[in-house]
Amino acid sequence: MFDEQLAGFKGDEQCIRVVGHRGARGIMPENTLLGFEWTIKMGVSALEFDVMITKDSVPVIVHNHHLNRDITRTPQGDWLNAPEPRISDLTYEQLSQFDVGGLNIFTEYGQRFPEQIFMSGQKVPQLADLLRLINRPEFRHVRLMLEIKSDPHVPDHRDRQAQTVEAIVNVVRAHNVQARTVLHSFDWEMLRMCQIEAPEMPTSFLSQLPEEEATAGSDPASAFDAYVGTLPSVPQAVADAGGYIWAPYFKDVTEHDVAHAKQLGLLISPWTVNDPHDMVRMIDLGVDAIVTDYPARLQREMIKKQVRWQRTEENTNAALTSA
Amino acid sequence: MFDEQLAGFKGDEQCIRVVGHRGARGIMPENTLLGFEWTIKMGVSALEFDVMITKDSVPVIVHNHHLNRDITRTPQGDWLNAPEPRISDLTYEQLSQFDVGGLNIFTEYGQRFPEQIFMSGQKVPQLADLLRLINRPEFRHVRLMLEIKSDPHVPDHRDRQAQTVEAIVNVVRAHNVQARTVLHSFDWEMLRMCQIEAPEMPTSFLSQLPEEEATAGSDPASAFDAYVGTLPSVPQAVADAGGYIWAPYFKDVTEHDVAHAKQLGLLISPWTVNDPHDMVRMIDLGVDAIVTDYPARLQREMIKKQVRWQRTEENTNAALTSA
């Protein structure tokens, strides 16, 4: 089941899929249309990105629940100051006034990506903008790992989960990309909602063990660790919850987990792997897909290991002939 | 004179121009159309690249006089082996069979650019292909630093110089981009030829002092060092030769040379500056433009120094507000 969607994330002995994280955050501004376009053009056929809804229920592609001051400029061209507005408090019209094309290099976050180009005039995209992009004839092979964001700290959390899922699924259906989209989240409860509301798309379960959160950088990804942390086996729980992909924080992954996940028929797609040594470890563990901010860096480690990122017929075998 | 062309390379106290070297070789395959397109889209408005002619006199964009085995795959997808065919011995039809979209990372050259994406299906472009690209309405601001290659070691050197200049100038005129193009070379004799054949375009004089050649990496750029090395003052010689831009190897540049070049009314555009410390030195010296394989890296050093790469009205000032 879901062969079409999963084809973009399924590896084998000779192939591991490269998934561009927020586009290719190491090189291009994260979660921007130009970043996505470049990532696809350079040969990355699977994109990971983050979606939530605005005050007027428009699904938009942005990571944090608040606008991140480290990457956001005001219409006047100044860096955003506190307080950072919540995405859910802005209409799309209001949100689209901000420029997210560059990092403030004087911040800790800005210093994490020294090769990221500084651009101006990049607005937070609507999910619909990205779906139009991948519906170009030349981009029909592209698969999406659509992360649905969820904030358990807001009072109307359950209502917002439902609204968010409905709005996102409607846009995906309107652009007819269900056969290329995997619904992905740390919010496992919301993923069950997705399975009911959108049975035509497979679900991908993110996990991160609590003790590792501190080392995950400035991406406070998961408010659901406490739950995951109590599970006897995370892959088993993903399978029991009807998931098709298990997306663990890469430092959590063990050989035993990989073997178990494969027994259970799950695909394994760890995130976010940016250091060559960690890349090598993931390759050696035999995961299916690797989510990275640095696709070129990952390609090199795969070439050294004689592992492809596309199928043979996709003409990258030449990268391997000189090993 | 030549204000339109030189605007793309002229700096001031607040602005230094970023010139993408072979596109942006640090990130994208060198001298490829996709590399040029990305470099422009990310906000670099001046491109440096290398042009020579094929056996059938087609101007093509490629650096070495021979196909470089470290970046070239055969139509069968294997890395090119010795002997590397000469560009001048191939028709464009033959040349276009080769794929130059990826580095062989097992070579010294391949290891110099660890962040360069590996792509397939990229052929050596014709100069005409790039000129069509920059004639897109949205790319009309782009300026070209068109390096004309010359090989003094071939017997018919002078004839080939003349044929090369004629073929290139004809293509530039056919696409009506003379007002955006600077003719650039190590071969000063050929540049004099350009001044006669194409008086509507300014000339840019490359120099590299012989003792530094060994440190210039695997780019044996200049067969004309011996000549340059004997000059009492390189900027003076450039001015005497009717040049508008002096493009020295960055390690050769001294404060005195910069002052002298400015007195002479020359623009100074050192190459190829990839290390942040060298970038800072060039910024502090107050050059007009910097040629680099890593535009994003250069942007960061310029932001730290409160120097812009575009004019204020071009809306990058926000990069500087948090300094």
Side-chain angles (χ1 to χ4, degrees), chain A residues 27-28 34 37-38 41-44 73 76-79 99 103-106 110-122 136 294-297 299-301 303-304 306 309 314-323, chain B residues 27-28 34 37-38 41-44 73 76-79 99 103-106 110-122 136 294-297 299-301 303-304 306 309 314-323:
Chain A
I27 303 298
M28 295 290 281
L34 206 49
E37 181 182 357
W38 181 67
K41 279 191 172 175
M42 70 186 191
V44 176
R73 282 166 287 162
Q76 293 70 41
D78 303 313
W79 289 109
D99 191 332
L103 285 168
N104 183 343
I105 70 168
F106 300 101
Q111 284 168 21
R112 282 177 59 197
F113 305 103
E115 303 293 344
Q116 188 186 105
I117 194 73
F118 190 97
M119 297 197 301
S120 291
Q122 302 301 309
R136 285 190 198 168
Y294 294 96
R297 209 179 276 179
Q299 283 179 327
R300 294 173 86 85
E301 299 310 319
I303 290 169
K304 292 179 196 166
Q306 298 276 299
W309 51 89
E314 292 170 23
N315 184 35
T316 61
N317 51 317
L320 306 174
T321 54
S322 300
Chain B
I27 303 298
M28 295 290 281
L34 206 50
E37 181 183 357
W38 181 67
K41 280 191 172 174
M42 71 186 191
V44 175
R73 284 166 285 162
Q76 294 69 41
D78 303 313
W79 290 107
D99 191 332
L103 285 167
N104 183 343
I105 69 168
F106 300 102
Q111 284 167 20
R112 283 177 58 197
F113 306 102
E115 303 293 344
Q116 189 187 103
I117 195 71
F118 190 97
M119 298 196 301
S120 291
Q122 303 301 309
R136 286 191 197 166
Y294 293 96
R297 208 180 276 179
Q299 284 179 327
R300 293 174 86 85
E301 298 311 318
I303 289 169
K304 292 179 195 166
Q306 296 276 299
W309 50 91
E314 294 171 25
N315 182 35
T316 60
N317 52 316
L320 305 175
T321 55
S322 301

Side-chain angles (χ1 to χ4, degrees), chain B residues 154-207:
Chain B
V154 297
D156 60 347
H157 177 220
R158 286 171 174 282
D159 296 347
R160 285 200 68 80
Q161 283 180 317
Q163 286 170 36
T164 300
V165 170
E166 184 190 9
I168 289 171
V169 169
N170 287 343
V171 171
V172 169
R173 287 174 178 160
H175 292 80
N176 194 32
V177 294
Q178 304 96 300
R180 298 154 63 190
T181 302
V182 170
L183 300 176
H184 181 70
S185 189
F186 278 103
D187 183 345
W188 293 23
E189 173 188 335
M190 187 165 60
L191 287 173
R192 283 194 288 275
M193 208 183 286
C194 293
Q195 291 164 352
I196 296 161
E197 297 301 317
E200 73 272 36
M201 288 181 268
T203 46
S204 171
F205 286 62
L206 281 153
S207 70

Side-chain angles (χ1 to χ4, degrees), chain A residues 7 27 47 59 63 81 84 96 105 108 115 118-119 154 162 177 179 213 217 222 244 259 272 276 281 295 304 322:
Chain A
I27 303 298
L47 301 176
H63 182 270
N81 279 323
E84 298 172 314
S96 65
I105 70 168
E108 182 278 339
E115 303 293 344
F118 190 97
M119 297 197 301
V154 297
V177 294
E213 187 165 20
S222 172
Y244 283 79
T272 299
R281 178 165 175 264
K304 292 179 196 166
S322 300

Side-chain angles (χ1 to χ4, degrees), chain A residues 258-275:
Chain A
V258 171
H260 188 196
K262 289 188 175 185
Q263 277 171 21
L264 295 164
L266 298 174
L267 303 184
I268 307 151
S269 178
W271 56 275
T272 299
V273 191
N274 291 341
D275 177 89

Side-chain angles (χ1 to χ4, degrees), chain A residues 62 84 86 101 254:
Chain A
V62 59
E84 298 172 314
R86 286 184 60 83
T254 67

Side-chain angles (χ1 to χ4, degrees), chain B residues 159-317:
Chain B
D159 296 347
R160 285 200 68 80
Q161 283 180 317
Q163 286 170 36
T164 300
V165 170
E166 184 190 9
I168 289 171
V169 169
N170 287 343
V171 171
V172 169
R173 287 174 178 160
H175 292 80
N176 194 32
V177 294
Q178 304 96 300
R180 298 154 63 190
T181 302
V182 170
L183 300 176
H184 181 70
S185 189
F186 278 103
D187 183 345
W188 293 23
E189 173 188 335
M190 187 165 60
L191 287 173
R192 283 194 288 275
M193 208 183 286
C194 293
Q195 291 164 352
I196 296 161
E197 297 301 317
E200 73 272 36
M201 288 181 268
T203 46
S204 171
F205 286 62
L206 281 153
S207 70
Q208 179 177 7
L209 300 182
E211 59 269 26
E212 292 290 0
E213 187 166 19
T215 66
S218 75
D219 306 338
S222 173
F224 304 92
D225 299 337
Y227 167 65
V228 173
T230 62
L231 295 170
S233 160
V234 178
Q236 185 64 62
V238 172
D240 294 346
Y244 284 78
I245 298 177
W246 173 40
Y249 178 50
F250 76 94
K251 292 187 179 179
D252 299 342
V253 182
T254 67
E255 204 169 327
H256 172 269
D257 285 335
V258 170
H260 188 198
K262 288 187 175 184
Q263 278 171 24
L264 295 164
L266 298 175
L267 302 185
I268 306 151
S269 177
W271 55 277
T272 298
V273 191
N274 290 341
D275 177 89
H277 298 93
D278 298 323
M279 290 171 172
V280 168
R281 178 165 176 265
M282 293 300 112
I283 294 165
D284 291 343
L285 279 170
V287 301
D288 289 278
I290 296 175
V291 180
T292 182
D293 291 312
Y294 293 96
R297 208 180 276 179
L298 177 55
Q299 284 179 327
R300 293 174 86 85
E301 298 311 318
M302 290 171 65
I303 289 169
K304 292 179 195 166
K305 291 267 178 187
Q306 296 276 299
V307 173
R308 310 174 193 284
W309 50 91
Q310 292 166 301
R311 303 290 170 189
T312 315
E313 66 274 15
E314 294 171 25
N315 182 35
T316 60
N317 52 316

